[in-house]
Amino acid sequence: MEAKAAFGNDGIYVEKFIEEPGHIEFPIIGDRWVPLCIFLKETALSKDATKKLVEESPSPLYDA
């Protein structure tokens, strides 16, 4: 009822708790016509949000 009153839609989304989340980045290059994902990389170890110490490419977390 709260969702319907606040947003006009009673649908809800439920997120699953992930115990060991990973951080995967998708570097993209290109122009306005052709974007291209060049590779995937995972930050395996970081000091804080701006200082990455170890990155792996391709990411072992991504299984496609």
Side-chain angles (χ1 to χ4, degrees):
M1 291 187 312
E2 278 186 51
K4 180 117 177 140
F7 307 111
N9 184 340
D10 61 354
I12 61 169
Y13 295 95
V14 177
E15 294 183 11
K16 181 179 179 183
F17 177 74
I18 301 173
E19 293 189 24
E20 294 183 34
H23 177 91
I24 299 176
E25 295 180 358
F26 299 82
I28 297 175
I29 62 171
D31 53 23
R32 63 181 170 180
W33 296 284
V34 184
L36 177 64
C37 178
I38 48 179
F39 57 88
L40 305 175
K41 62 183 180 177
E42 174 192 354
T43 302
L45 180 63
S46 61
K47 188 172 184 178
D48 58 36
T50 60
K51 295 178 182 157
K52 299 171 186 168
L53 301 176
V54 176
E55 289 186 340
E56 291 183 76
S57 182
S59 172
L61 295 176
Y62 183 75
D63 184 23

